[in-house]
């Protein structure tokens, strides 16, 4: 969806729905400042640790979760 299409849809909302969209955007915008910035090395270390946990059975693989969701919700 283009920005123009999105703008048109937002402008066509009722006043209550429009206010809700504005509130959500404000809340999401204020949260981005609280995200911790990480270097590429830190991200790689976290992903490596996550893969090790998965290999040891502490977590479920994304493939396993995805297949179960497809079965459950017939996606």
């Amino acid at each position: 969806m283009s920005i123009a299409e999105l703008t048109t849809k937002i402008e066509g909302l009722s006043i209550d729905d429009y206010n809700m969209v504005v509130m959500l955007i404000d809340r999401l915008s204020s949260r981005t400042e609280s995200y911790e910035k990480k270097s590429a090395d830190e991200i790689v270390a976290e992903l490596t640790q996550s893969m090790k946990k998965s290999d040891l059975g502490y977590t479920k693989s994304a493939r396993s979760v995805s297949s179960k969701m497809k079965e459950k919700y017939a996606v």
Side-chain angles (χ1 to χ4, degrees):
M1 178 180 303
S2 72
I3 293 175
E5 291 172 319
L6 183 57
T7 302
T8 301
K9 287 188 179 209
I10 291 173
E11 289 172 345
L13 294 173
S14 70
I15 190 70
D16 289 336
D17 290 342
Y18 179 83
N19 289 336
M20 177 69 76
V21 169
V22 170
M23 180 195 68
L24 290 171
I25 291 170
D26 286 342
R27 289 175 77 188
L28 290 172
S29 297
S30 67
R31 287 186 184 178
T32 58
E33 296 169 5
S34 65
Y35 289 126
E36 181 181 343
K37 295 187 183 216
K38 296 186 179 195
S39 69
D41 291 337
E42 291 173 316
I43 294 169
V44 168
E46 284 190 20
L47 291 172
T48 302
Q49 183 181 21
S50 177
M51 288 187 299
K52 286 179 183 176
K53 284 182 180 179
S54 182
D55 290 344
L56 294 172
Y58 291 112
T59 61
K60 297 179 183 177
S61 72
R63 183 171 285 124
S64 169
V65 172
S66 177
S67 69
K68 287 186 180 187
M69 294 296 280
K70 286 179 183 176
E71 290 172 12
K72 186 174 181 178
Y73 297 105
V75 175

